[in-house]
Amino acid sequence: MSTDVPRKDVPGPAPAASIAVSDADEAWISAPRRDRQLARLTQLGRALRAPSVGIPAAVFVVVVLACFAGPALLSLPSPVTGDLANAMAPMGSPGHPLGTNELGNDVLSRLLHGGRVSIVVGLGATAISLLAGALLGVTAGFFGGFYETFVMRLFDTLLAFPGLILALVIADYLGPSLTNTTLAISLFGVSRFGRLAWSQTLTVRHRDFVTAPRSDGAAAYRVIFGHILPNVLPPLLGFALFTIGTAMMIEAGLSYLGLGVPEPEPTWGNLIASGDAYLSSDPRLVVLPSMALFITVLSLNLVADGLRGRLTEER
């Protein structure tokens, strides 16, 4: 004996009497959430095994470990405590592998601590941009109507301002600090993440794994967080890696102009700024943080480029 289970009404066009769900979408719908997450992690693991992705990813991990664990492992002195009697010591000096700066601060200590701050700013600003942009973009693509129009015009307004100029204005208004710098840079990426999330949502919102739960009366938040977000995240995560590097470059620019993280807290940007006066006499004070920033951003961009292609192919 079989009985027909009535379907609940949902906003929008009336669903068809029966929905033919593809095998792939049916497997996605019926899989527990934990299995969906494991599938995404397995997909990421396969992508990281490719040399074009794994090698630059390893370089970035080494940089992160050096910046966060290096000072303690090497027992380096404080980056803000110097000895004027030992100022401008050359590379290879006893107790100072990379020498000291004009205030007698250990260059290696400031380089590693500066990388720590620059990475934190890049990750923090990108996380805020990703969270805000993804939520606005996905909900705009899902609900449509006036809300979608309002959100997209908001994105257009943010995109109308050059990112660095917008960050400069906000940082100057809020004042130089780690928190204010992170917030100022985060606005640079909200519209970019939002438009990408919106466009990806438009491509999947009519897929069977979205329309079938909606026709069964599933709550909107369950459809968004359980079915749409996991399928639009891969391109967003690839773009996030690009954005981390961009955020670090913007932070360096703000700090170079005196609007980023203020001295004596070191960042790669203000290390370059403080060493600029000694570029002709002692270029290492500029070259070392510049090379550290270059290698970190390049490795992030290479990982992002490799992941973007592989994760998109396997969706």
Side-chain angles (χ1 to χ4, degrees):
M1 179 179 180
S2 63
T3 58
D4 294 331
V5 179
R7 296 181 180 273
K8 299 178 183 179
D9 293 333
V10 295
S18 62
I19 298 178
V21 182
S22 67
D23 292 340
D25 288 353
E26 177 63 33
W28 174 269
I29 296 169
S30 60
R33 177 174 296 183
R34 182 179 179 182
D35 291 348
R36 299 174 196 164
Q37 295 170 347
L38 288 175
R40 289 303 183 207
L41 290 176
T42 301
Q43 181 183 3
L44 179 62
R46 285 198 301 268
L48 288 173
R49 283 198 293 269
S52 60
V53 179
I55 293 175
V59 171
F60 178 69
V61 170
V62 169
V63 171
V64 172
L65 290 177
C67 291
F68 284 86
L73 292 176
L74 299 175
S75 300
L76 296 176
S78 169
V80 298
T81 302
D83 179 11
L84 288 175
N86 198 28
M88 300 302 286
M91 295 178 66
S93 299
H96 303 288
L98 298 182
T100 61
N101 65 2
E102 72 279 5
L103 297 177
N105 303 117
D106 183 76
V107 171
L108 179 58
S109 178
R110 289 184 64 79
L111 186 68
L112 295 182
H113 280 89
R116 183 185 300 180
V117 175
S118 295
I119 292 171
V120 166
V121 171
L123 290 173
T126 301
I128 295 172
S129 299
L130 174 60
L131 180 62
L135 287 177
L136 288 172
V138 169
T139 53
F142 180 77
F143 291 111
F146 173 78
Y147 175 71
E148 179 182 29
T149 302
F150 171 78
V151 171
M152 297 313 295
R153 296 297 78 77
L154 175 63
F155 290 160
D156 291 340
T157 302
L158 290 175
L159 284 172
F161 293 95
L164 181 57
I165 302 301
L166 180 63
L168 280 169
V169 172
I170 296 173
D172 184 44
Y173 177 76
L174 296 177
S177 73
L178 178 62
T179 302
N180 292 344
T181 301
T182 303
L183 291 175
I185 297 174
S186 67
L187 287 179
F188 169 78
V190 170
S191 57
R192 289 162 175 79
F193 278 111
R195 292 191 69 88
L196 178 58
W198 170 75
S199 65
Q200 293 294 318
T201 302
L202 293 184
T203 65
V204 303
R205 71 177 181 181
H206 296 302
R207 291 278 300 274
D208 294 335
F209 61 79
V210 174
T211 57
R214 291 193 71 191
S215 67
D216 286 333
Y221 77 92
R222 290 187 178 275
V223 177
I224 291 173
F225 290 99
H227 299 286
I228 295 180
L229 267 179
N231 284 278
V232 305
L233 271 180
L236 290 176
L237 293 178
F239 183 65
L241 292 174
F242 277 118
T243 307
I244 294 172
T246 302
M248 293 176 66
M249 295 292 290
I250 295 176
E251 182 279 322
L254 292 176
S255 296
Y256 186 85
L257 297 173
L259 297 174
V261 180
E263 293 278 11
E265 185 73 33
T267 73
W268 285 338
N270 58 34
L271 288 181
I272 296 171
S274 61
D276 188 49
Y278 306 93
L279 183 59
S280 59
S281 60
D282 198 346
R284 69 190 166 93
L285 298 179
V286 173
V287 172
L288 291 175
S290 298
M291 288 300 299
L293 181 62
F294 169 76
I295 291 172
T296 305
V297 174
L298 178 62
S299 64
L300 281 169
N301 288 348
L302 291 175
V303 173
D305 192 49
L307 283 181
R308 181 177 58 179
R310 284 169 175 79
L311 294 182
T312 302
E313 289 171 2
E314 298 183 22
R315 288 176 66 198

